[in-house]
Amino acid sequence: MPGFHAMSLRRPAAVLTSALALSGTLTCAAAPAQASASPTQTAVVSMGDSFISGEAGRWQGNSNTQSGSRNGTDRAYNGKSYDPTTVYGGTYSSGCDRSDSAEVLSATGIADVAINLACSGATTGNVIRAASGGESLNGERPQADQLATVAAQYRVKLIALSIGGNDLGFSDVITNCVEDYSLLYSYCHDDQGEKVDQRMDSAMAGVAKSVQEIRSVMWSAGYASGDYRIVLQSAPSPIPRGSEIRYAQSGWSRLTTGGCPFWNRDADWARDEFIPEYAAEVRAVAESEGVQFLDLQDMLQGREVCAKATRLATSSQGPSATTSEWARFLVSGAAQGTLQESFHPNYYAQRALGRCLGLIHAQPTGDYACRNTAGKDESGMYLTSVA
């Protein structure tokens, strides 16, 4: 899920318009291959959607200030204006939004070169090779076809994959939940839960096919199964449980101040049912395909949008990796960045995700969950074995 742009003057109708525009944008972005290639150089590669591409890496926490550096949260501010390409490079214009802090670029000690092939908005169909029915996205070839080029240029050691959220309709879920809170005063968990269940088998079949396609590409490039690893990831919840939201659900604070317009019951469903179900299904695919699983469902615990343990940045208290939110709030209009950045892991979270990737790289076998340590930055990330 992405984040909601909090404005003191937000209006429900404007918020709904922004929320509806979310449809189809919730996924990951990729970063271009780096420097001159050599067969002797090793590489770590990320593939998938916006949760791994680096979407929202522009932001260090959230602030309601609309001008300047937004109290230090906007990394695209150059002192006079805003230049998102300083964070997303050329992928900003395409919409892939591969940030300079994306998970694979924040990880250290894995390989000589880090290559991000993920793209915001990607489905499993954008990973699968064109020859197998896959489709291009934002003017780029399917990611498995791009991987074939990378595998020929480098010795790929690890491939991190995060995919399936768009197949399930993550953005549709968010849109409907925001609409139900802001305009309809009804719950979303019942009807959205049914839709997720209806899409789950097809989505997971696509995830399995994506893993199989990656394997086929690597085999065709001359790799043996033991020459590289695939780490299949789940997704973190960008919103907390209802009891952990710092704004009351009555009134308009969740909408106009915090950028987290969800009813407690819907927030509980998303945090304790939807995201865990998704993680369990992805893990089942990982087990069936014989790849490692990295569980991220609790990775943002206590750092989510509107979480009580965090705060918005202000002119007197700027952003901090220990006190700011680690997910982008819901963005309304174009007052702060773009809508598609909403409810995605931000700069702080992406650095933490890089730490998670580095930690599981050090564990050649086994499934793990990655969690944060309250009061610490990315250095406090740690793994626990998934039984």
Side-chain angles (χ1 to χ4, degrees):
M1 299 179 176
F4 188 61
H5 164 81
M7 291 194 301
S8 59
L9 297 178
R10 279 204 206 99
R11 294 194 175 117
V15 170
L16 176 58
T17 299
S18 296
L20 292 175
L22 268 170
S23 291
T25 64
L26 190 63
T27 15
C28 275
Q34 299 174 351
S36 57
S38 168
T40 64
Q41 287 185 299
T42 60
V44 54
V45 181
S46 60
M47 301 175 67
D49 57 27
S50 55
F51 277 115
I52 197 171
S53 71
E55 187 73 78
R58 171 178 174 174
W59 303 95
Q60 298 178 131
N62 298 310
S63 169
N64 279 328
T65 297
Q66 304 302 310
S67 60
S69 66
R70 338 283 196 180
N71 295 321
T73 62
D74 191 349
R75 299 174 59 230
Y77 184 63
N78 59 23
K80 295 182 179 179
S81 60
Y82 306 100
D83 182 8
T85 65
T86 60
V87 175
Y88 300 118
T91 66
Y92 177 70
S93 60
S94 72
C96 276
D97 282 5
R98 301 173 182 129
S99 77
D100 57 1
S101 60
E103 177 181 322
V104 72
L105 300 180
S106 291
T108 59
I110 298 179
D112 299 321
V113 176
I115 300 173
N116 188 355
L117 299 178
C119 184
S120 189
T123 64
T124 55
N126 302 127
V127 173
I128 296 168
R129 290 173 295 175
S132 300
E135 300 178 344
S136 298
L137 178 66
N138 296 339
E140 297 184 357
R141 294 177 298 157
Q143 292 175 32
D145 287 320
Q146 296 181 56
L147 176 63
T149 301
V150 173
Q153 294 178 326
Y154 301 93
R155 288 191 296 117
V156 176
K157 307 301 293 182
L158 188 150
I159 300 166
L161 174 65
S162 173
I163 198 68
N166 288 319
D167 298 72
L168 275 179
F170 272 20
S171 60
D172 291 340
V173 171
I174 293 171
T175 297
N176 281 277
C177 290
V178 170
E179 177 183 352
D180 284 350
Y181 180 89
S182 305
L183 293 181
L184 302 180
Y185 303 102
S186 61
Y187 292 120
C188 72
H189 64 271
D190 44 6
D191 59 315
Q192 292 306 302
E194 291 180 4
K195 291 180 180 179
V196 167
D197 289 342
Q198 292 169 0
R199 297 166 178 160
M200 187 63 76
D201 287 348
S202 176
M204 292 304 108
V207 174
K209 179 65 174 175
S210 297
V211 173
Q212 294 161 12
E213 285 286 295
I214 290 171
R215 280 223 173 96
S216 294
V217 165
M218 298 300 285
W219 179 84
S220 296
Y223 287 73
S225 59
D227 292 339
Y228 69 98
R229 271 194 282 160
I230 299 174
V231 174
L232 183 60
Q233 304 180 179
S234 64
S237 174
I239 59 173
R241 300 171 179 87
S243 62
E244 297 169 355
I245 297 177
R246 63 177 178 267
Y247 305 102
Q249 67 175 340
S250 59
W252 293 103
S253 294
R254 290 187 182 183
L255 178 65
T256 61
T257 303
C260 53
F262 301 94
W263 296 111
N264 285 349
R265 180 64 187 89
D266 290 338
D268 290 345
W269 167 75
R271 180 66 182 85
D272 290 329
E273 296 180 49
F274 178 27
I275 293 297
E277 178 188 4
Y278 177 65
E281 293 287 346
V282 172
R283 186 188 182 194
V285 172
E287 291 179 345
S288 67
E289 296 300 324
V291 300
Q292 268 189 301
F293 172 63
L294 179 58
D295 187 357
L296 298 175
Q297 63 178 298
D298 298 321
M299 179 258 169
L300 292 176
Q301 175 61 39
R303 316 293 188 112
E304 309 97 331
V305 178
C306 294
K308 287 181 177 178
T310 64
R311 61 171 177 80
L312 295 176
T314 65
S315 58
S316 59
Q317 288 185 297
S320 164
T322 60
T323 61
S324 293
E325 297 165 339
W326 281 14
R328 186 69 176 140
F329 56 20
L330 182 60
V331 177
S332 176
Q336 278 198 26
T338 60
L339 181 62
Q340 73 180 52
E341 294 173 310
S342 302
F343 298 117
H344 284 87
N346 64 20
Y347 172 80
Y348 294 133
Q350 287 172 24
R351 290 181 61 82
L353 286 165
R355 173 67 174 161
C356 294
L357 187 60
L359 289 171
I360 198 169
H361 168 257
Q363 304 291 335
T365 60
D367 298 337
Y368 294 89
C370 195
R371 297 181 171 88
N372 74 79
T373 301
K376 291 190 176 182
D377 59 13
E378 70 272 11
S379 66
M381 303 306 295
Y382 64 96
L383 297 181
T384 58
S385 178
V386 176

